[in-house]
Amino acid sequence: MTAPNQVKLKPGDTIGILGGGQLGRMLAMAAARLGLRCQVFSPDPDSPAFDVVAHATCAEYADVEALELFAGDVDVITYEFENVPAASAMILAARRPVLPDRAILETTQDRLIEKDFVKRLGIGTADYADVSSAAGLRAAIEKIGLPAVLKTRRFGYDGKGQAIIRDGDDLDRIWHDLGTKSAILEAFIPFEREISVIAARSADGQVECFDVTENEHRDHILKISRAPAVIPDTLAAQARNVAQRIATALNYVGVLAVEMFVVQGDSGPKVLVNEIAPRVHNSGHWTLDGASISQFEQHIRAIAGWPLGKPVRHGPVTMTNLIGDEINSYEQWLTVPGATVHLYGKGPPRPGRKMGHVTQIHLTKST
């Protein structure tokens, strides 16, 4: 097997993408512009990424024969979501380089392991405690206090698999409704704003960060991202440094996102890490039209062994997710100056489903 740091693709080579959602779709489109082919592996026959590649594999992640055939058709493998089964990643890694390295998934797939990893780096997070029973939840509340957020350790996203706990809540019912034996309780953070940093790291250790992004969630789903975040330059530098340290400590190759809270500290504002996403990220979609290089091209370059680009933002940028029925309003965006519409080619809209997004570069008068 080729060592990850020896991957060097040439135009015409093929990248395998695990996952067929919109992130996989946009990765494949970025690769095509660079003359690289992509093959997508997904169990969902309606995967929107299938529409933009010549070859796709529709099979379950537990299908060993399909995985082996897939690996034989590609030169390097990446993924668009972090919940790739460990056994599947192991099968693939025995045959082709998998980037980012599958060992990173062991850290980022489990919220407790991830928090412990960040803490060992000396980077701040919310206070947290391991919970494995209703009695353990009570003990954790004694330690953490209320309000607090109870989360499953694995497989949560967009607000799924979590619950806010306040004084007087029925703890037994909350624990039962979460439906897990493996959870983490986190202190509720009275944050000023939510931010994220999209960072790319190459196999030779080069790290490039995009401008810090400010994020606005509605019903636990990202609705709007704005770049640059309205924070002091010193705090933005601190946030980028946190992302760089995490990427370096993971020996990461590719693009990752670090979600953070801005909170007031004794000596002014500071950042606390909320989550690490080992992949391209929704809060980086503004880079498609708002920067000299997108997060998707940056990821493709990193895993191909090509030089990273230096991200230059074109101006103030806003990204708005089109969620559920909002997709039906796409036409109204088409005539907005500075706006670019991205539709994901998904089926019928469902509540809470990301159907597309709009990026807007805000035009400024020349001086």
Side-chain angles (χ1 to χ4, degrees):
M1 186 185 71
T2 306
N5 61 1
Q6 295 177 347
V7 172
K8 185 70 173 180
L9 301 188
K10 61 185 182 301
D13 285 345
T14 301
I15 296 169
I17 301 173
L18 298 177
Q22 64 265 23
L23 300 181
R25 179 187 176 101
M26 289 182 273
L27 282 170
M29 292 167 73
R33 197 172 67 79
L34 298 175
L36 294 163
R37 298 184 173 94
C38 286
Q39 183 165 327
V40 173
F41 189 111
S42 172
D44 181 2
D46 296 322
S47 294
F50 286 174
D51 296 339
V52 299
V53 295
H55 301 287
T57 300
C58 187
E60 296 298 325
Y61 291 115
D63 188 332
V64 175
E65 183 180 1
L67 289 170
E68 291 177 340
L69 290 171
F70 173 73
D73 285 343
V74 304
D75 299 292
V76 67
I77 296 167
T78 191
Y79 37 84
E80 64 130 30
F81 76 120
E82 57 266 52
N83 291 322
V84 176
S88 304
M90 185 178 299
I91 290 167
L92 293 168
R95 290 156 179 81
R96 289 291 185 271
V98 175
L99 297 174
D101 191 278
R102 65 182 181 84
I104 292 169
L105 299 178
E106 297 172 7
T107 297
T108 57
Q109 283 182 346
D110 187 308
R111 286 188 170 102
L112 180 63
I113 295 174
E114 180 178 286
K115 282 284 196 299
D116 287 344
F117 164 75
V118 173
K119 188 176 180 180
R120 284 196 302 272
L121 294 179
I123 297 170
T125 71
D127 292 336
Y128 62 94
D130 187 14
V131 179
S132 56
S133 66
L137 175 57
R138 289 182 171 83
I141 289 172
E142 288 294 320
K143 174 185 175 184
I144 301 298
L146 292 177
V149 184
L150 182 67
K151 301 178 180 179
T152 57
R153 282 175 55 175
R154 299 171 66 88
F155 304 125
Y157 67 97
D158 285 349
K160 298 175 176 64
Q162 61 181 267
I164 297 177
I165 303 176
R166 298 180 175 85
D167 282 322
D169 284 348
D170 185 336
L171 300 183
D172 290 318
R173 180 175 180 179
I174 289 173
W175 178 252
H176 177 268
D177 289 349
L178 197 65
T180 185
K181 294 182 179 179
S182 182
I184 181 173
L185 186 73
E186 299 178 6
F188 186 83
I189 301 297
F191 57 86
E192 292 184 355
R193 61 192 75 221
E194 296 178 79
I195 62 171
S196 58
V197 175
I198 306 296
R201 184 177 182 274
S202 61
D204 63 7
Q206 178 190 1
V207 178
E208 294 289 349
C209 293
F210 289 87
D211 285 329
V212 181
T213 306
E214 186 169 336
N215 302 311
E216 179 182 325
H217 290 77
R218 296 179 190 171
D219 298 322
H220 302 290
I221 301 173
L222 180 64
K223 178 58 183 173
I224 297 173
S225 291
R226 298 179 178 89
V230 183
I231 56 176
D233 290 344
T234 53
L235 192 64
Q238 180 188 144
R240 289 192 297 269
N241 178 260
V242 164
Q244 181 169 345
R245 288 168 61 192
I246 288 172
T248 300
L250 289 170
N251 197 25
Y252 199 87
V253 178
V255 163
L256 83 165
V258 182
E259 300 176 42
M260 308 178 211
F261 297 124
V262 175
V263 299
Q264 275 299 328
D266 294 336
S267 55
K270 63 178 183 178
V271 296
L272 297 177
V273 169
N274 180 31
E275 289 187 356
I276 303 168
R279 54 174 170 78
V280 289
H281 193 257
N282 195 177
S283 68
H285 287 0
W286 66 267
T287 65
L288 274 165
D289 308 294
S292 56
I293 185 170
S294 75
Q295 63 166 342
F296 301 98
E297 180 177 333
Q298 198 79 295
H299 183 80
I300 295 297
R301 289 193 190 195
I303 65 171
W306 293 10
L308 300 181
K310 176 70 70 174
V312 178
R313 185 172 40 80
H314 297 321
V317 190
T318 300
M319 187 284 302
T320 304
N321 273 330
L322 301 178
I323 300 169
D325 288 340
E326 292 172 350
I327 189 67
N328 297 327
S329 66
Y330 71 91
E331 282 193 47
Q332 75 181 44
W333 290 100
L334 294 176
T335 56
V336 176
T340 305
V341 177
H342 297 262
L343 306 180
Y344 301 152
K346 293 184 175 180
R350 295 197 304 263
R353 192 181 197 195
K354 296 169 183 170
M355 304 297 296
H357 73 266
V358 179
T359 52
Q360 291 174 272
I361 301 174
H362 299 284
L363 308 177
T364 57
K365 294 181 180 179
S366 57
T367 55

